[in-house]
């Protein structure tokens, strides 16, 4: 993606990487496993992947590290996303436009419609984490192929 980026867009690319998990990331993933809202697939992901930063794909796509997810959970708690606050999720990332991605305990992944996490309006973007990451991958492929921002 970055090979032709500057020629296509007129400026050099930013950070665009999938960082592999190191020992600290894996320790954070084990701690995240103790959070009852963390789906097993998320913990498995963080055991291998430290974080995803695609600053130049569309507005940007960012999947936070397990340590960042834990810190946000400790500081702010969960995202309550229905009227009776029965449905809750963990924020796992964002796009460069200020929208957040979060995952419910069953792996269903959502995106906020606005930058606020206080009583957010949300859209389901994927039925599980695997589908969410496949959408991210398709977004990257689409951007690489024709410069269009992607699917999310």
């Amino acid at each position: 993606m970055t090979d032709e980026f500057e020629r296509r867009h007129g400026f050099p690319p930013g950070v665009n990487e999938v960082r592999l998990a190191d020992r600290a990331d894996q320790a954070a993933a084990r701690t995240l496993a103790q959070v009852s809202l963390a789906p097993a697939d998320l913990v498995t992901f963080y055991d291998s992947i430290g974080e995803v930063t695609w600053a130049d794909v569309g507005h940007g796509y960012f999947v936070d590290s397990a340590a960042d997810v834990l810190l946000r959970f400790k500081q702010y708690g969960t995202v309550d996303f229905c009227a009776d606050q029965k449905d809750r999720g963990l924020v796992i990332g964002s796009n460069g436009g200020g929208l957040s991605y979060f995952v419910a305990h069953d792996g269903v992944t959502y995106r906020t419609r606005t930058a606020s996490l206080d009583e957010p309006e949300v859209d389901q973007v994927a039925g599980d984490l695997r589908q969410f990451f496949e959408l991210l991958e398709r977004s990257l492929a689409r951007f690489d192929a024709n410069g269009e921002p992607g699917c999310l």
Side-chain angles (χ1 to χ4, degrees):
M1 179 194 102
T2 58
D3 291 344
E4 295 291 316
F5 186 90
E6 189 166 1
R7 185 187 62 72
R8 280 183 175 175
H9 301 283
F11 56 92
V15 176
N16 296 282
E17 69 178 357
V18 176
R19 184 178 59 76
L20 297 177
D22 58 22
R23 288 185 180 155
D25 294 313
Q26 292 167 338
R30 286 190 298 276
T31 302
L32 187 60
Q34 298 169 6
V35 175
S36 62
L37 291 171
D41 287 348
L42 183 63
V43 175
T44 300
F45 171 81
Y46 282 131
D47 195 47
S48 297
I49 303 297
E51 66 185 323
V52 177
T53 303
W54 292 342
D56 295 314
V57 179
H59 292 293
Y61 294 111
F62 308 92
V63 178
D64 299 330
S65 69
D68 287 343
V69 171
L70 280 169
L71 180 62
R72 187 179 299 107
F73 173 69
K74 288 176 183 176
Q75 291 178 335
Y76 304 107
T78 58
V79 176
D80 299 325
F81 61 96
C82 73
D84 61 7
Q85 298 185 351
K86 189 170 133 182
D87 293 325
R88 300 178 300 160
L90 295 171
V91 175
I92 60 168
S94 62
N95 71 13
L99 305 182
S100 295
Y101 296 103
F102 64 94
V103 62
H105 66 88
D106 57 1
V108 176
T109 307
Y110 299 87
R111 178 188 59 224
T112 60
R113 292 184 193 156
T114 63
S116 175
L117 291 173
D118 296 328
E119 299 181 24
E121 294 181 25
V122 302
D123 294 310
Q124 180 178 329
V125 295
D128 59 30
L129 282 165
R130 180 185 182 114
Q131 184 183 26
F132 174 71
F133 290 119
E134 287 171 349
L135 286 170
L136 278 178
E137 182 181 33
R138 282 198 298 256
S139 294
L140 177 63
R142 182 176 173 178
F143 184 80
D144 190 40
N146 59 25
E148 292 181 16
C151 310
L152 293 171

